[in-house]
Amino acid sequence: MSPRKDMIQRELDVHEATNQPASYAITLRGKKVYLPVIRVNPTLLLLNHKNNRLSGQLKDHPKRNQVEADPESTESQKLLHSLLAKTAKFGELSKQLKQMGQEQPGLITQEGLLVNGNTRVAALRELNIDHVEVAVLTNNVTETDILDMEMSLQVTDLVHQDYTFTNELLLMKRFLDAGNSEKALAKKMGWMNRGIVKVKEHMRLLSYIEEVRNLAPIPYSVFDNKKQHLKDLDDDYMRLKDQGNIDDAESLKWTRLSMTFLNLNKDQVRAIAPDFVEKNLLPRLGGENNETKDHLESFIADEKEDDLDDIVGEKAPSKVDMKRYLKDLLVDDSLRTEDGDISKDLGGLHHEISFNARRAADNIIDDKKLQSANAEPSLVLKEAKAKIVKIKQGLPLIMRDPRFKTRNFIYDVDELRKELDALEVAIKNADNE
């Protein structure tokens, strides 16, 4: 018997000898069971490399294979500890444990492997607290049982840290890959209404992430702040697909994914249609931006004549292959931050594309507001004024950018002034009619 297992067994023997009640309730194979709770040193427990709070981080780690080959080694355990210490709410959890102590026991196997409470144990170790309360599972639990329990614990108040968006998706995928049905997963997630529909939707979100990761090694964590972008994309992608517009659906997908990585916000990305690049973006890249336009047009798919061209007597308009563009963007390490995301401060051609894409999307949004039956012209002017004030406030910083062209800016200000004068004349003429 290993020292770890021996220590746990001694504590269990003491628990039984003192007639303490088994007080920790869990559901195991559909039946509620009560487990004994013992107190052990947190340094003696094994952090679980299959802990789904670390799924994405471990999948992206260069030492992943080493950890999976020997998860109990000192080096593997240190790596798992360091990954846990970098999770979003680790500091908050440590502070809570220091001030309030442990409120719920962790959960371990009789071999000392943590099933629940990995992050708490890591925090207790860093706080140099020499005890942790853990409930001990029976000796007949299987990996399937452990996965089932983690799914149940994930949607209860027993979990002290929320799963990240991507780690939740990976946990759901692991549950399905283990042979469980979509109906069973929906039940585990607590989705009583449209449960299977929600499961399918979440698996599609994961598929978009995997498609991007197939283009370049983007960490899962990069997508944690892109959940709404992906949900909006899925709504419109499936609508087009259900209508039979497969080409438009694919064009929409890769255009929106590209613009997401070019730092457009969710409202701007939501405004983008399948023909956004050709209809709204490329026309803005003329004049002095020919190099930028040429770069984007270099991703136009090879033109192929087909029977439809012969029938209508003309070729379909050329479309930019935004999947190829996105790959080109993502594989450029000079544009990536330390966490693997695309930098917020893009330079050169990509800056020009991003800037003009944001402006084009804003124009689409403004046009939709004007077309709305509830749109007020004064509201549009107020929003325009707010944008101008924002530019004025940031102008000292903007003018220090070597890409800023004072002459062009003054010209655009003059053009704006002319339009305002013309608007005032139009108002007076309308009043006189």
Side-chain angles (χ1 to χ4, degrees), residues 24 98 109 165 172 218 254 269 305 310 355 386 433:
Y24 184 84
K98 186 176 182 179
T109 66
F165 167 54
M172 294 170 64
I218 302 296
W254 292 111
V269 173
E305 294 186 2
D310 294 335
F355 175 83
E433 290 179 357

Side-chain angles (χ1 to χ4, degrees), residues 59-60 208-223 254 261 323-333 335-336 339-342:
K59 283 178 179 290
D60 291 324
Y208 301 140
I209 292 172
E210 297 294 5
E211 284 187 89
V212 174
R213 282 171 52 86
N214 286 337
L215 300 181
I218 302 296
Y220 283 104
S221 57
V222 165
F223 296 90
W254 292 111
F261 279 94
K323 181 177 180 179
R324 285 174 51 212
Y325 170 78
L326 181 58
K327 181 175 182 178
D328 181 74
L329 177 72
L330 296 178
V331 297
D332 188 344
D333 290 338
L335 301 176
R336 304 269 288 275
D339 63 3
D341 205 350
I342 294 296

